[in-house]
């Protein structure tokens, strides 16, 4: 069979190129928002053109909280699946739409609910007493099996004030974040071996090269990055902490930013007097930098798909029986 006869296989991550005019799409979206009584929430990691038309932008925690303030009947969640699930959990009566159902998360997927459940059973059978603490980047099914949900912004507070001091901690799914929180709180943890495909590929070699080329620049890194990278960072924090930090710093500064590349957009918006340089991911064989610092799941969100989901009323996140327990855990962890 000649190569041209082979069937074309498209990955969910195949870039979606639209020849539609972005301005026309934005007009259509505005009209559909009114028609469908909808509010758009967008994560800091989706493209800037979607963040610009959103009613709310933020990190996972802020958007989970913002979702409870929405007064319209429909929420469009431009982000990934577990985030839209959280919005549905906090708003059972609302219709929650996700522009692309394939928008998952490598971190959430590294901890499937059935494997977590069986590991918890093994620990209990060994007589170990523990509480399970989950990073918010987990599926609703996993959240329903946990005692606490944390974000990079509130993990320290929850672990120091709420988690039983007489028990061990099983931390899922991000080993790098867990290790970082152990350092900050001094509480040892059993770490689930998960990680984010985007933050995992930042290379220390690239960062050191960027530092050499930009003397005096400060390094800002997300705690999902591996420890060798965090050890050379000047500021370690989640996306909201990054925004607060650059806003508070009035002296124009050059920042090397080690997180998803679209994060540069909200940083530029809130503190345009600084210069932001995204830290590249790994080098390819040809010596060029690949686009590894872009999350392929987040990139599935496009203006055309935001329009389509509003127009067609799908894909929609449907209520699942375990959402009730996930809601209890989310509520006591994040919203009080
Ligand atoms: S950047 Fe990483 S943690 Fe965030 S959605 Fe993408 S894969 Fe998941």
């Amino acid at each position: 069979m000649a190569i041209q006869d082979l069937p074309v296989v498209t990955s969910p991550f195949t870039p979606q190129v639209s020849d539609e005019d972005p301005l026309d799409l934005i007009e259509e979206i505005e009209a559909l928002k009114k028609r469908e009584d909808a509010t758009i929430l967008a994560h800091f990691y989706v493209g800037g053109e979607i963040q610009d038309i959103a009613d709310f932008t933020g990190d996972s925690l802020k958007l989970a909280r913002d979702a409870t303030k929405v007064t319209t009947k429909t929420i469009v969640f431009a982000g990934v699946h577990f985030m839209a699930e959280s919005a549905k959990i906090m708003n059972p009566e609302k219709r929650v739409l996700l522009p692309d159902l394939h928008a998952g998360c490598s971190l959430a997927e590294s901890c499937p609910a059935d494997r977590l459940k069986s590991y918890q059973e093994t620990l209990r059978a060994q007589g170990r007493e523990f509480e399970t603490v989950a990073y918010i980047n987990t599926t609703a099914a996993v959240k329903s099996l946990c005692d606490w949900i944390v974000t990079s912004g509130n993990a320290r507070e929850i672990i120091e004030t709420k988690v039983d001091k007489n028990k061990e901690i099983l931390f899922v799914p991000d080993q790098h974040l867990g290790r970082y929180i152990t350092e900050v709180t001094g509480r040892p943890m059993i770490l689930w071996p998960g990680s984010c495909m985007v933050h995992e590929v930042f290379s220390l070699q690239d960062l050191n090269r960027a530092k050499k080329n930009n003397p005096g620049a400060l390094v800002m890194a997300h705690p999902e990055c591996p420890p060798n990278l965090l050890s050379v960072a000047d500021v370690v924090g989640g996306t909201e902490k990054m925004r607060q930090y650059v806003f508070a710093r009035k002296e124009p500064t050059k920042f090397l930013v080690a997180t998803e590349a679209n994060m540069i957009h909200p940083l530029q918006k809130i503190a345009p007097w600084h210069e932001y340089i995204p830290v590249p991911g790994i080098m390819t064989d040809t010596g060029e930098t690949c686009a590894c610092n872009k999350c392929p799941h987040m990139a599935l969100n496009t203006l055309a798909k935001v329009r389509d989901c509003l127009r067609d009323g799908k894909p929609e996140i449907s209520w699942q029986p375990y959402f009730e327990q996930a809601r209890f855990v989310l509520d006591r962890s994040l919203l009080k």
Side-chain angles (χ1 to χ4, degrees):
M1 186 187 277
I3 194 155
Q4 63 271 21
D5 299 326
L6 288 170
V8 177
V9 179
T10 50
S11 129
F13 299 136
T14 303
Q16 318 279 305
V17 183
S18 167
D19 52 9
E20 294 179 88
D21 183 335
L23 291 178
D24 291 344
L25 283 168
I26 290 168
E27 239 176 64
E28 275 189 78
I29 290 169
E30 288 303 331
L32 284 163
K33 262 178 70 181
K34 285 198 188 91
R35 190 187 88 184
E36 298 298 320
D37 190 26
T39 300
I40 299 177
L41 275 61
H43 193 271
F44 285 143
Y45 290 172
V46 299
E49 69 287 1
I50 301 179
Q51 295 187 44
D52 287 343
I53 57 151
D55 301 286
F56 295 94
T57 54
D59 61 6
S60 311
L61 173 61
K62 180 176 176 293
L63 292 177
R65 288 180 169 147
D66 287 342
T68 65
K69 299 178 201 150
V70 168
T71 53
T72 57
K73 284 192 288 203
T74 297
I75 293 173
V76 173
F77 206 114
V80 297
H81 193 270
F82 77 81
M83 296 174 183
E85 272 187 333
S86 297
K88 179 70 183 176
I89 289 168
M90 304 317 296
N91 297 277
E93 74 295 348
K94 292 196 192 297
R95 181 173 67 151
V96 176
L97 305 172
L98 178 67
D100 191 321
L101 265 191
H102 288 109
C105 166
S106 65
L107 188 49
E109 282 150 23
S110 68
C111 183
D114 55 342
R115 277 185 50 210
L116 174 60
K117 196 163 178 237
S118 100
Y119 187 58
Q120 288 173 320
E121 280 162 9
T122 305
L123 289 178
R124 284 190 197 106
Q126 292 169 354
R128 297 180 58 176
E129 292 191 20
F130 61 94
E131 292 197 350
T132 307
V133 178
Y135 186 31
I136 194 165
N137 292 32
T138 43
T139 62
V142 163
K143 287 185 176 81
S144 72
L145 297 173
C146 296
D147 299 288
W148 303 101
I149 310 290
V150 300
T151 67
S152 46
N154 73 356
R156 180 181 194 154
E157 186 197 335
I158 292 209
I159 284 170
E160 287 178 345
T161 62
K162 297 192 175 178
V163 178
D164 190 333
K165 291 195 169 43
N166 300 313
K167 291 186 178 167
E168 290 187 88
I169 295 175
L170 167 60
F171 188 85
V172 303
D174 191 332
Q175 55 180 312
H176 300 313
L177 181 65
R179 205 166 285 121
Y180 173 71
I181 299 171
T182 290
E183 255 177 48
V184 175
T185 62
R187 293 270 318 251
M189 298 177 190
I190 308 164
L191 298 176
W192 190 269
S195 58
C196 157
M197 65 195 287
V198 177
H199 292 90
E200 188 73 82
V201 297
F202 288 121
S203 100
L204 188 56
Q205 201 189 353
D206 278 355
L207 178 57
N208 284 337
R209 191 180 300 117
K211 277 176 76 159
K212 209 168 144 205
N213 292 339
N214 297 280
L218 295 184
V219 177
M220 271 199 307
H222 196 284
E224 288 174 23
C225 291
N228 62 348
L229 214 120
L230 295 183
S231 67
V232 297
D234 300 289
V235 186
V236 177
T239 51
E240 201 49 52
K241 182 170 170 190
M242 287 183 183
R243 283 176 79 243
Q244 287 165 12
Y245 187 89
V246 298
F247 183 70
R249 189 178 174 93
K250 299 303 173 199
E251 182 195 344
T253 306
K254 211 183 247 193
F255 286 101
L256 300 173
V257 185
T259 190
E260 214 279 351
N262 281 315
M263 185 60 205
I264 303 294
H265 186 77
L267 292 177
Q268 252 156 3
K269 260 182 137 171
I270 196 168
W273 53 90
H274 300 307
E275 186 182 346
Y276 305 99
I277 302 167
V279 175
I282 51 176
M283 286 282 177
T284 64
D285 292 344
T286 56
E288 288 162 9
T289 306
C290 69
C292 298
N293 57 359
K294 290 242 176 198
C295 174
H297 299 281
M298 291 285 184
L300 290 175
N301 291 275
T302 61
L303 282 175
K305 287 186 199 166
V306 170
R307 183 269 319 270
D308 293 350
C309 79
L310 269 168
R311 183 192 59 204
D312 305 337
K314 62 179 187 188
E316 182 181 354
I317 304 293
S318 55
W319 184 264
Q320 304 296 327
Y322 48 82
F323 279 16
E324 201 59 56
Q325 177 59 20
R327 181 187 168 104
F328 168 76
V329 185
L330 260 175
D331 199 29
R332 77 173 186 154
S333 305
L334 302 184
L335 299 178
K336 287 187 174 152

